[in-house]
Amino acid sequence: MKTAGHSEATTRRGLELTPFRGLRYDPDRVGSLASVTSPPYDVVVRPDGLHHLESADPHNIVRLILPQAGTPSARTEQAADTLRRWLAEGILVADPDPGLYVYEQQDGDGMLQRGIIGTLRVTEPAEGVVLPHEDVMPPVVADRAALMRATRANLEPLLLTYRGDGVRASGTTAGVGIGTPAGPGAATTAGVGVGTAAEAGTGTAAEVIERTASRPPLLATTTEDGFRHRLWSITDPVDLARVQSDLAGRQALIADGHHRWATYRRLRLEHPSPSPWDYGLVLLVDTVRYPLRVRAIHRLLHGLPVADALRAVDGLFRVRRLDAPLPEALAALADASCAGNAFLLAGDGAFHLLDRPDQRLLARTVPADRPAAWRSLDATVLHATLLEHVWRIPEDSPAHIAYIHDTAATVEKAERDGGTAVLMHPVREEVVRDLARQGVTMPRKSTSFGPKPASGLVLRALEI
């Protein structure tokens, strides 16, 4: 069944989530479900992580989301050919009936997240339905758009959050949620537990999710990072209507997937409505019940040795050398961040804490036409002051800078390649949401919300 769009004249405001026939791996045709999954495309550390995933199984989803070939057009053609072949061979199979999908993730510490996967009506920021909070890099949007055009598929869901009317899932520690530091380098939920349908409220999306999760799942697998993943389908018309009605008046924040949402918007404009391109694949999580973790995204500066980076900031920031292991260095960064902008440089076998920037430097380099909360962001100071004016590094050039989610991997790559790792402290979620509601976007790759949905558990083909 194709998912049809409709004209703006008849579109209601709010989140409009629709069922679809998910594409899923046939477990009898692959080594294991865990071996064919991948983190989202922009989390995969390249090249090491990419090669590891490719070798895990010949049908790993990374061959679709990050195809490898000599030219951009060859890469997208290769992904499209691979998808067609896997469909023809029965590696990927469409579910018989359209539905929404309840998705659960739980880590080894018992942290639990549940949400609902469906195809969401694509809206513009001015509509105030889906709020972005970060800028995007046009080359990345162009790359994702080319891949979606070629495959005519949404290969992985992006992560959106909304605020429901229920209560935190039972067992989750009250008062500890997104934006509350629970240790160096992360703001996180500290509690565990399983929500109940009664707690969620009768007739709400949360109630449907909790009740569905009490049944045997369509699939269950544990990935090598220790996360257990389970998936259920919702096909009952009454339950579908309850979910859609509950979401219809709500607003969502993009937690992860700004480039893919921007791609959805671009492709929607390319195709006259109604069309399947009016909708895009998303995972929606109610952060009242399931608060997310928020982490920083770090920068790896190619070709800039740590010694050169430190010479350039001499007299502009206070610099302290830390001969300490990574956890202690991150704790020092967290402490320094309480008082103002702070960064941790690595790559020469030690850590160097930068803080107390020269206020005259900030006044000269940080744009003054934005809210104070934006001007004081670490990401703002990093991009506007350090990258642009001090180190002279273009923020959108892969030859000069990489954005990496894994802290240890960022340090290791800097030490191996002779570059500089710039480690960041996570921003508070309330700052992110407040800026988004003002229509103010943060510098690109400012935050990493999680846990992120695993890629490869359910896909969407636009022609099915």
Side-chain angles (χ1 to χ4, degrees), residues 168-180:
R168 185 174 275 105
S170 63
T172 301
T173 303
V176 182
I178 196 167
T180 305

Side-chain angles (χ1 to χ4, degrees), residues 54-71:
E54 288 180 328
S55 63
D57 190 286
H59 301 107
N60 190 284
I61 190 67
V62 78
R63 297 180 184 275
L64 297 181
I65 62 176
L66 286 174
Q68 298 300 294
T71 65

Side-chain angles (χ1 to χ4, degrees), residues 225-307:
D225 59 3
F227 271 89
R228 183 187 71 170
H229 307 262
R230 298 199 295 170
L231 192 76
W232 298 260
S233 64
I234 303 172
T235 57
D236 179 78
V238 174
D239 283 343
L240 292 173
R242 285 173 175 161
V243 171
Q244 291 172 318
S245 176
D246 186 31
L247 295 177
R250 302 196 186 278
Q251 183 182 62
L253 176 74
I254 301 176
D256 183 70
H258 282 82
H259 289 90
R260 281 168 285 165
W261 185 256
T263 301
Y264 290 167
R265 289 171 48 212
R266 172 182 289 193
L267 295 175
R268 178 188 182 227
L269 293 175
E270 291 178 3
H271 297 82
S273 184
S275 86
W277 300 97
D278 289 345
Y279 292 81
L281 188 63
V282 304
L283 166 65
L284 278 163
V285 174
D286 176 359
T287 52
V288 170
R289 291 188 60 73
Y290 297 105
L292 300 186
R293 295 170 174 171
V294 60
R295 301 182 186 275
I297 302 176
H298 310 296
R299 276 65 169 160
L300 174 62
L301 309 181
H302 305 301
L304 179 67
V306 173

Side-chain angles (χ1 to χ4, degrees), residues 5 7 19 22 27 64 82 85 126 141 148 152 156 161 185 314 320 360 383:
S7 69
L64 297 181
T82 299
R85 185 173 70 254
V141 176
M148 288 188 202
R152 296 188 66 80
E156 47 185 350
T161 69
D314 185 36
R320 288 176 285 167
R360 293 169 298 180
H383 283 252

Side-chain angles (χ1 to χ4, degrees), residues 428-448:
R428 300 191 315 278
E429 186 268 348
E430 57 265 30
V431 173
V432 176
R433 192 173 293 274
D434 287 347
L435 288 173
R437 284 174 173 156
Q438 296 176 55
V440 178
T441 53
M442 300 165 64
R444 58 201 63 180
K445 299 295 182 182
S446 293
T447 59
S448 177

Side-chain angles (χ1 to χ4, degrees), residues 63-396:
R63 297 180 184 275
L64 297 181
I65 62 176
L66 286 174
Q68 298 300 294
T71 65
S73 61
R75 288 195 291 270
T76 57
E77 290 170 9
Q78 177 178 292
D81 290 343
T82 299
L83 178 57
R84 284 192 291 267
R85 185 173 70 254
W86 290 358
L87 287 169
E89 294 173 355
I91 305 299
L92 288 169
V93 180
D95 284 331
D97 300 309
L100 300 174
Y101 294 83
V102 172
Y103 176 47
E104 176 188 280
Q105 296 165 275
Q106 189 167 15
D107 69 8
D109 297 325
M111 191 285 305
L112 181 73
Q113 175 177 290
R114 286 179 183 150
I116 192 159
I117 296 174
T119 60
L120 185 68
R121 180 176 67 89
V122 178
T123 58
E124 293 300 312
E127 296 181 57
V129 177
V130 175
L131 302 177
H133 71 266
E134 288 182 358
D135 292 331
V136 298
M137 293 176 273
V140 177
V141 176
D143 174 75
R144 292 295 99 184
L147 182 63
M148 288 188 202
R149 287 190 203 98
T151 59
R152 296 188 66 80
N154 300 151
L155 300 172
E156 47 185 350
L158 52 88
L159 175 61
L160 305 181
T161 69
Y162 71 98
R163 307 283 293 175
D165 299 326
V167 297
R168 185 174 275 105
S170 63
T172 301
T173 303
V176 182
I178 196 167
T180 305
T188 179
T189 61
V192 299
V194 178
T196 66
E199 290 173 331
T202 304
T204 65
E207 184 270 333
V208 174
I209 289 170
E210 303 303 336
R211 179 161 39 80
T212 301
S214 69
R215 303 168 184 162
L218 287 175
L219 65 85
T221 190
T222 300
T223 46
E224 64 181 9
D225 59 3
F227 271 89
R228 183 187 71 170
H229 307 262
R230 298 199 295 170
L231 192 76
W232 298 260
S233 64
I234 303 172
T235 57
D236 179 78
V238 174
D239 283 343
L240 292 173
R242 285 173 175 161
V243 171
Q244 291 172 318
S245 176
D246 186 31
L247 295 177
R250 302 196 186 278
Q251 183 182 62
L253 176 74
I254 301 176
D256 183 70
H258 282 82
H259 289 90
R260 281 168 285 165
W261 185 256
T263 301
Y264 290 167
R265 289 171 48 212
R266 172 182 289 193
L267 295 175
R268 178 188 182 227
L269 293 175
E270 291 178 3
H271 297 82
S273 184
S275 86
W277 300 97
D278 289 345
Y279 292 81
L281 188 63
V282 304
L283 166 65
L284 278 163
V285 174
D286 176 359
T287 52
V288 170
R289 291 188 60 73
Y290 297 105
L292 300 186
R293 295 170 174 171
V294 60
R295 301 182 186 275
I297 302 176
H298 310 296
R299 276 65 169 160
L300 174 62
L301 309 181
H302 305 301
L304 179 67
V306 173
D308 292 350
L310 292 174
R311 274 193 294 271
V313 299
D314 185 36
L316 302 177
F317 283 74
R318 182 175 69 167
V319 180
R320 288 176 285 167
R321 179 186 174 98
L322 305 177
D323 291 305
L326 178 59
E328 291 183 20
L330 290 174
L333 174 63
D335 289 342
S337 295
C338 294
N341 301 117
F343 310 93
L344 198 62
L345 305 192
D348 63 349
F351 296 99
H352 307 271
L353 182 61
L354 275 58
D355 65 355
R356 299 186 183 178
D358 186 321
Q359 295 302 307
R360 293 169 298 180
L361 172 68
L362 299 186
R364 189 170 68 251
T365 57
V366 174
D369 61 345
R370 301 288 186 93
W374 181 91
R375 296 197 305 272
S376 63
L377 291 170
D378 287 341
T380 297
V381 172
L382 173 61
H383 283 252
T385 302
L386 286 170
L387 292 182
E388 184 173 352
H389 287 89
V390 177
W391 293 326
R392 306 282 183 181
I393 291 176
E395 63 180 11
D396 57 356

